[in-house]
Amino acid sequence: MTDLVRCTPVSLAATLLLLTGVFTPTPAQSQIQVTLGSAASYTILAASTITIAGATTIVGDVGLSPGTAISGMPAGQPTGGVMHLGDPTAAQAQADLGVAYFYLASLPCTGPMTGVDLGTQVLTPGVYCFDSSAQLTGVLTLDALGDTAAVFVFQVGSTLTLAGNSAVVLVNGARAANVWWQVGSSATLGIGSSLSGSVLAQASIGLAQGATVAGRLQVRTAAVTMDTNAITGFGGVNTLDAPSSAASGLRLAVAPSPAAGNAQVRWSLPAAGGVWLDVLDVQGRRVATLMTGESMAAGAGSRGLETQGWSPGVFLVRLRTAQGTVTQRVVVQR
């Protein structure tokens, strides 16, 4: 399958990003074609082993080739997909993954990012590159500028690391299906972190407890490890048609905002399941935990949010389920 996405290259120097935390590219007339082929339907794809601990949920196909060793898969998982372990179908998916991996690696870099922590950055569509490792500590905001077909590509020379409770937030039409992480070595997602997009790693991907992903985790040569995670794939649909969390029925609202005292967090779930609800500051530090995997029925729900004792400022309310992750900002005033 061909995922056709548009990318607006960046023309500003990385110095501006370091000074302001906001990177705004100039428009261009180019398009990027990412050909995932048969790998498009795989939420999890590894080469040697897949290891799972805890009540992990996976939406989409799971594949392993040339290895066949998978351990800890919870009963009833994956949902909305099948498993292929060491068979020709998984081998073909691995081959198609290689094509996509090297294509992403070959794209011209439009936003040099070496030495820049992705936390607290606001990025618009582009191809962002790191000569070596990339770190995300806090909240990375991807702003599609109203273009739901806009794409973000991150080329990481060695390792990608998300610190605990870090998050990738999509705004103004940005979609997880249009975000790509090409990682030269291994990717590590810290405790309670939240990532959007497809991670295509050369060596391995490891998720700490409570990390969530709206996207794909695909590895060319080694393993994927998980621990009580929620990973929601795209089911092999074309990138431009991939449903956002809102389109799939997962919604979140916080009112009032600005809030001088208590606020109310309201949500709508497309299906019953576990819910994780917490609040982060702009540095990605958790300031409140409202829910930790409680089972909730489909439909509307709510929780009170007490802001007494908080410093004035902007906070991020994050809702995580098996269907994906949604966030809402709330402003606290005194």
Side-chain angles (χ1 to χ4, degrees):
M1 177 170 296
T2 297
D3 291 350
L4 180 61
V5 290
R6 288 181 293 170
C7 178
T8 306
V10 176
S11 61
L12 296 184
T15 304
L16 180 60
L17 177 60
L18 287 167
L19 292 175
T20 67
V22 180
F23 211 150
T24 304
T26 57
Q29 301 301 317
S30 62
Q31 287 190 325
I32 292 177
Q33 283 190 328
V34 183
T35 304
L36 277 173
S38 63
S41 66
Y42 286 81
T43 300
I44 307 294
L45 181 60
S48 60
T49 59
I50 296 174
T51 304
I52 302 172
T56 291
T57 59
I58 302 170
V59 179
D61 290 346
V62 173
L64 186 62
S65 178
T68 59
I70 182 169
S71 63
M73 179 68 77
Q77 297 298 317
T79 60
V82 297
M83 288 196 292
H84 290 280
L85 307 179
D87 62 12
T89 302
Q92 182 60 55
Q94 271 289 348
D96 292 342
L97 165 60
V99 173
Y101 177 90
F102 288 112
Y103 175 75
L104 289 169
S106 72
L107 294 174
C109 176
T110 59
M113 298 281 288
T114 301
V116 177
D117 192 317
L118 286 166
T120 73
Q121 306 299 331
V122 179
L123 301 181
T124 49
V127 180
Y128 298 94
C129 56
F130 296 81
D131 290 341
S132 55
S133 61
Q135 177 77 27
L136 198 173
T137 306
V139 176
L140 166 63
T141 302
L142 302 182
D143 186 345
L145 305 175
D147 182 3
T148 59
V151 67
F152 302 80
V153 175
F154 295 89
Q155 300 168 333
V156 182
S158 57
T159 58
L160 169 66
T161 303
L162 272 66
N165 301 315
S166 295
V168 177
V169 177
L170 309 178
V171 299
N172 292 330
R175 304 177 105 176
N178 298 345
V179 180
W180 301 88
W181 304 84
Q182 181 265 325
V183 181
S185 179
S186 299
T188 302
L189 279 61
I191 294 174
S193 60
S194 175
L195 182 137
S196 295
S198 298
V199 181
L200 279 57
Q202 175 69 15
S204 64
I205 300 174
L207 278 63
Q209 191 173 56
T212 60
V213 176
R216 307 177 180 98
L217 302 176
Q218 301 187 350
V219 167
R220 298 193 64 240
T221 63
V224 175
T225 60
M226 293 161 277
D227 184 358
T228 318
N229 308 119
I231 305 103
T232 306
F234 308 128
V237 298
N238 187 284
T239 293
L240 299 183
D241 299 327
S244 64
S245 294
S248 67
L250 181 61
R251 294 179 173 85
L252 178 67
V254 183
S257 181
N262 294 341
Q264 194 76 7
V265 180
R266 301 181 184 276
W267 63 81
S268 177
L269 305 181
V275 172
W276 288 260
L277 184 64
D278 55 8
V279 183
L280 311 176
D281 65 14
V282 293
Q283 301 298 322
R285 297 171 296 198
R286 184 184 286 118
V287 298
T289 300
L290 305 182
M291 301 177 69
T292 56
E294 287 94 323
S295 180
M296 302 296 294
S302 65
R303 280 288 189 280
L305 177 63
E306 298 181 359
T307 67
Q308 288 85 350
W310 294 12
S311 299
V314 178
F315 297 85
L316 187 71
V317 180
R318 178 175 62 175
L319 176 73
R320 294 176 288 161
T321 74
Q323 287 73 46
T325 299
V326 289
T327 58
Q328 280 289 343
R329 281 180 166 80
V330 58
V331 177
V332 174
Q333 294 182 342
R334 292 289 179 256

